[in-house]
Amino acid sequence: MGFHCATAAGGLDAMAQLRETDFDVVLTDLNMPGMDGIELLRQMQETGIRAVPIMLSGSKQVSQAIEASQRGAFDFMEKPTKMDKVRQVIARALKHRRVVRHAQAMSDLAGHWE
């Protein structure tokens, strides 16, 4: 799709990579070996990782989508999903990331001049 990507073997591997690299977006599954997607989102929040998370799941349970949203998921997509939709959601997430980074930079700059 034209994105620079990294892959992880599961949630623990994903978290290790997130601690090492400043990713813009994380596309994660709900069910993964070692650590599920909800726990990954929780740890991302707790450690201040600012990558925008997108959750995928084969499950249609509304409660999981709500919990993912509460844990900071930008979007929750049910599998199977069309690649065009994935591309659109990633593009929106990247735009969101740019806006958040710009707002943070402006806030930091304002704090510097106070």
Side-chain angles (χ1 to χ4, degrees):
M1 288 189 212
F3 302 116
H4 296 281
C5 300
T7 60
L12 295 172
D13 184 26
M15 195 62 210
Q17 289 186 50
L18 286 164
R19 286 187 173 117
E20 300 276 325
T21 305
D22 183 24
F23 291 99
D24 291 316
V25 175
V26 173
L27 185 61
T28 185
D29 202 325
L30 179 63
N31 296 311
M32 299 181 291
M35 176 191 309
D36 70 17
I38 298 295
E39 179 63 17
L40 178 66
L41 295 180
R42 186 187 69 72
Q43 287 193 23
M44 287 174 65
Q45 277 184 322
E46 287 181 359
T47 57
I49 292 170
R50 296 183 182 200
V52 180
I54 300 168
M55 180 75 67
L56 287 165
S57 177
S59 172
K60 297 181 187 227
Q61 291 186 7
V62 175
S63 62
Q64 291 175 326
I66 292 170
E67 187 172 4
S69 178
Q70 291 171 338
R71 291 288 179 190
F74 179 77
D75 205 330
F76 187 96
M77 294 187 290
E78 290 180 17
K79 295 187 295 185
T81 188
K82 296 189 184 294
M83 291 309 292
D84 192 46
K85 178 174 178 173
V86 173
R87 186 179 298 117
Q88 290 173 0
V89 172
I90 290 172
R92 283 191 0 253
L94 286 168
K95 183 176 181 180
H96 174 77
R97 174 81 162 140
R98 283 191 299 273
V99 168
V100 168
R101 277 186 168 168
H102 179 73
Q104 183 62 51
M106 296 305 289
S107 176
D108 292 348
L109 185 60
H112 177 74
W113 293 106
E114 290 180 353

